[in-house]
Amino acid sequence: MIRWKTAAAAVSIALSPTVAVAQAVPLGANLERFDYGALVHWFATSSQGQQVKMAYLDWRPTGVANGKTIVLFHGKNFCAATWLDTAKALAAQGFRVIAPDQIGFCKSSKPTGYQYSFHTMAELTRALLDQVGVGRVILVGHSTGGILAARFALLHPDRVVRLALVNPLGLNDTLAEGVPYTDLGKLRAEEAKTDATSIKAYQLRNYYHGEWRPAYDRWVAMLAGQYAGPNGDIVRDAQARLSDMIQTQPVAADLPLLSMPVTLIIGQRDLTAFRANSAPPDRRDQVRTVPQAAEDVVKQIPDAQLIRLNNLGHAPQVESPSQFMEALRMAIGKSGCTNSRGIVR
């Protein structure tokens, strides 16, 4: 076993894009020792009777300012930092870009006994935007952040100009499709087994269709580093509670109520179907993957379009930042565009 002589050495390895996943370096339950590559801001408030802090990144336009703000919501296995390439490209186009870490995730607070809900996260994010003086926004949500983005848009339609959902969860009710409900105790037991190896194996199969790149190891190290330290149980409890939130709070039934233009940006090689592996073998095929569910959902939303990224998986913004930006430009610009890589409805 390699033993690190200094904390600085540990952090430098944790941030290396070629770090071996077997070497999970403790980074703190709130990623205190993980550098996002951008200045981290803080929003302090009270929630459920506890004082909490939300970390967020805030990029000002580096190109000619267009007066518009884009808010980026991360997924369950991601953080605000994973939007870095996207945010820089958007800032260069004149947008202000805000990317929060939601409560329970990454650098933000993980309160003891907290009842996580997408409604609560939406209200906390609204309060954050109020504090930084942002009104109407273009909202982009990835994976679990897609559920949150849809819920935010349903609660505050006056605040959302356009909505882009990137390989979002919640498009289908997986419990109704055959995934058994898993209680919090069992979810905690599962989290106890989570480590760098299991994180990479899951992402390799479901996110990156069996094609791993060294750059992805940075994000594995980020996630695994939260579990590895002495406060790892705080992370495990939060992650179990967040999984319970995802399994019990799909947004599928409410999507037809969305009133703003909506774009689904879907990497077609995504195999994600939340907790489908826990379904009985004879029902697993009935649990739709994200791309399968998106084909039905786009027909149910009044003003929706679908961009299919045929050669990408669950995290197109990580897998191919330039190709993803091409799709996102279409989503936030004029509707009815097409390109060779996807079809827009």
Side-chain angles (χ1 to χ4, degrees):
M1 177 184 293
I2 297 175
R3 296 186 182 276
W4 306 111
K5 294 182 180 179
T6 67
V11 172
S12 67
I13 294 295
L15 301 183
S16 168
T18 58
V19 62
V21 296
Q23 301 168 346
V25 178
L27 298 174
N30 294 334
L31 289 178
E32 293 89 345
R33 294 184 293 279
F34 187 84
D35 184 1
Y36 272 14
L39 179 64
V40 178
H41 302 267
W42 297 95
F43 170 56
T45 187
S46 175
S47 181
Q48 299 181 18
Q50 300 191 55
Q51 294 301 307
V52 297
K53 291 197 306 179
M54 286 179 68
Y56 67 98
L57 305 180
D58 189 349
W59 291 267
R60 301 289 174 152
T62 55
V64 178
N66 60 25
K68 300 176 182 179
T69 299
I70 295 183
V71 178
L72 306 173
F73 287 166
H74 63 79
K76 183 175 185 290
N77 294 326
F78 302 82
C79 294
T82 49
W83 286 115
L84 192 60
D85 289 330
T86 301
K88 287 181 176 179
L90 291 169
Q93 294 176 18
F95 293 96
R96 181 181 182 181
V97 185
I98 296 175
D101 277 344
Q102 296 298 327
I103 292 298
F105 292 96
C106 307
K107 287 185 178 290
S108 291
S109 300
K110 300 164 183 65
T112 301
Y114 199 74
Q115 182 177 349
Y116 291 99
S117 76
F118 290 110
H119 286 74
T120 295
M121 291 180 179
E123 291 308 304
L124 287 170
T125 304
R126 178 196 55 76
L128 184 158
L129 295 177
D130 288 345
Q131 175 170 285
V132 299
V134 170
R136 303 188 75 204
V137 302
I138 298 169
L139 191 53
V140 180
H142 169 239
S143 191
T144 298
I147 307 179
L148 176 57
R151 182 57 62 197
F152 185 102
L154 289 162
L155 290 171
H156 303 290
D158 57 318
R159 300 290 290 268
V160 181
V161 178
R162 284 183 173 272
L163 178 63
L165 303 177
V166 183
N167 287 76
L169 301 186
L171 299 182
N172 51 322
D173 186 339
T174 55
L175 294 183
E177 291 180 350
V179 175
Y181 173 74
T182 304
D183 72 20
L184 192 57
K186 291 181 180 179
L187 291 172
R188 286 198 191 99
E190 291 178 8
E191 289 294 338
K193 301 175 184 178
T194 299
D195 58 14
T197 300
S198 66
I199 291 169
K200 179 174 180 177
Y202 176 82
Q203 294 190 6
L204 176 63
R205 179 184 182 277
N206 293 284
Y207 293 2
Y208 302 116
H209 37 88
E211 301 173 9
W212 194 262
R213 298 174 188 166
Y216 303 157
D217 284 330
R218 168 173 164 81
W219 309 121
V220 173
M222 176 185 71
L223 296 175
Q226 289 187 280
Y227 290 89
N231 293 320
D233 283 344
I234 294 174
V235 178
R236 294 183 186 94
D237 181 69
Q239 287 294 306
R241 291 173 182 272
L242 291 163
S243 290
D244 185 64
M245 174 185 73
I246 296 167
Q247 72 175 339
T248 58
Q249 299 177 36
V251 74
D254 294 333
L255 292 175
L257 302 176
L258 289 168
S259 58
M260 66 290 299
V262 179
T263 302
L264 299 169
I265 302 176
I266 308 296
Q268 296 295 291
R269 301 185 73 179
D270 184 7
L271 296 179
T272 304
F274 191 70
R275 299 191 59 77
N277 62 337
S278 65
D282 62 340
R283 297 203 62 180
R284 286 177 191 168
D285 289 343
Q286 300 176 38
V287 184
R288 288 175 293 169
T289 64
V290 171
Q292 291 170 339
E295 295 293 329
D296 294 328
V297 166
V298 72
K299 302 171 186 176
Q300 300 168 11
I301 301 172
D303 185 1
Q305 59 180 359
L306 172 61
I307 300 177
R308 301 183 184 91
L309 302 177
N310 293 322
N311 58 333
L312 300 180
H314 185 69
Q317 77 278 24
V318 175
E319 191 176 358
S320 181
S322 60
Q323 189 175 341
F324 173 71
M325 275 306 304
E326 183 180 348
L328 187 57
R329 288 189 197 102
M330 294 164 59
I332 63 181
K334 294 181 179 179
S335 60
C337 302
T338 61
N339 70 7
S340 60
R341 297 189 181 92
I343 300 173
V344 179
R345 174 185 168 84

